Amino acid sequence: MRAFPLRPVIYTHTLTVSRQSPLLLKMRALQLLVLFLFGLAGAQQQALMDYLERRLLAIEDRISMWHEQTSRYASELREFKQQMVSQLEGLDKTKEALRSELDTVGTRVDRVEREMDYMETQNGAQPCVDVDEKLVEQQVTVIKERNKAKYSKLTDCSDMISSIKAMKILKRVGGPKGVWTKDMGAANGKVYLLNGTDDNTLYEFGTVREFTSSQGLSAGKTIELPSAWRGVGHVVYNNHLYYMKEGDEMKLIKFDLQKSTVVDSSVFPAKNQLPAYSLNPETFIDLAVDEEGLWAIFATQENEKHISLAKIDPKTLDIEQMWDTPCVRENAEAAFVICGTVYVVYNSKLPSRSRIQCVFDVSDMITNDDAPNVYFPKRYGTHSSLKYSPVEQLLYAWDDGYQILYKLQMKKKLEV
Ligand SMILES: *[C@@H]1O[C@H](CO)[C@@H](O)[C@H](O)[C@H]1NC(C)=O
């Protein structure tokens, strides 16, 4: 039993014992106030007092529990932080160790390499390496030769085109594409006509007059070739017809026109060939004759934008020398060679005036800058072939089924 709580003083010692929580103090004050104000007596008052006391104790317990929990959390957090720090330190250490290991491996590799170098110098050059180097050297010189080797001229010709002096339309016979030509080596007066891009019948006329006055092609002598031709790249040179055989193999045929037999054939050695002129895609190799001999104008995928040039031995069909020209294939329609200079003739897809727009001289006497600005007389077609006769200094042209002759005005290469 508790003493009769008349004076609140009795409770002061209890207050000091309790935890100094502001909430608790408030509760105590409230309790005292309640007792003081109502001054209730007896069992009722005692029951209330007990109840308040229990509540207070419960609250005190809970507060102390929170306190413990927070301090435990705090210490756990501290421990965790400690662990993390020590783990990070461990990681740093292993990283450092790996780096130093790598360093030592690196120096060891260096040393092994140095040792191998030393052994190689001691044992001399290995034969396989030697062969490789020679091969590379050879390839380099071949590439150099391709453009740099000096071309040794066979003649003293030094003519270049200055203008087109005259044009004569002789006849209209055959299809849009074809070749008409004389024998460009002998100029014996005979005229040869090859109609179309994939036929095998050659027409021969005794003279130009005979050709122009003939009633169609059947008036001429026909020569059947053992195989059809491809494109319009053929030439007649010293009683032989040189032409590309139809098919993908790029076979060059040398055909004796007097004996009507194939005397030689060879596969053109350039790989991955492309049509030489974008406006005449049937022609892969365009043969040309000039004062110097036989030439081939062609293109390959290695230099796909530009036209290449080769000098050919007419006896053996061997390639003697090759050049990459600066002349583009795009919008080119034909080309011819005069005194070792290739003249590339350009047009547009919608036929307009043909013009010489690119020149390449194998003896480097003419550069593209001093190339003549030669326009062909206005025509309504495009040239499928332009064959130069070095004997007559004429161009034999096939222009959309018309057989035309252009008479050339020449000048010396060194005159400007
Ligand atoms: C000429 O060739 C063309 C094809 O390009 C053909 O249509 C025409 O019949 C040929 N003409 C003669 C006379 O053979």
Side-chain angles (χ1 to χ4, degrees), residues 25-62:
L25 286 173
K26 270 185 202 157
M27 296 287 286
R28 288 284 185 205
L30 195 69
Q31 190 185 16
L32 291 176
L33 190 69
V34 168
L35 291 177
F36 184 75
L37 284 178
F38 296 96
L40 296 172
Q44 220 180 348
Q45 197 184 19
Q46 187 58 45
L48 181 62
M49 281 302 296
D50 285 350
Y51 170 74
L52 286 174
E53 189 74 9
R54 277 201 305 280
R55 292 294 302 155
L56 273 174
L57 282 172
I59 288 168
E60 276 172 6
D61 278 351
R62 199 161 304 160

Side-chain angles (χ1 to χ4, degrees), residues 173-178 193 195-199 203 216-218 398:
V173 65
K177 295 193 178 188
L193 194 136
N195 174 47
T197 57
D198 54 1
D199 206 346
Y203 299 94
L217 290 176
S218 49
W398 188 293

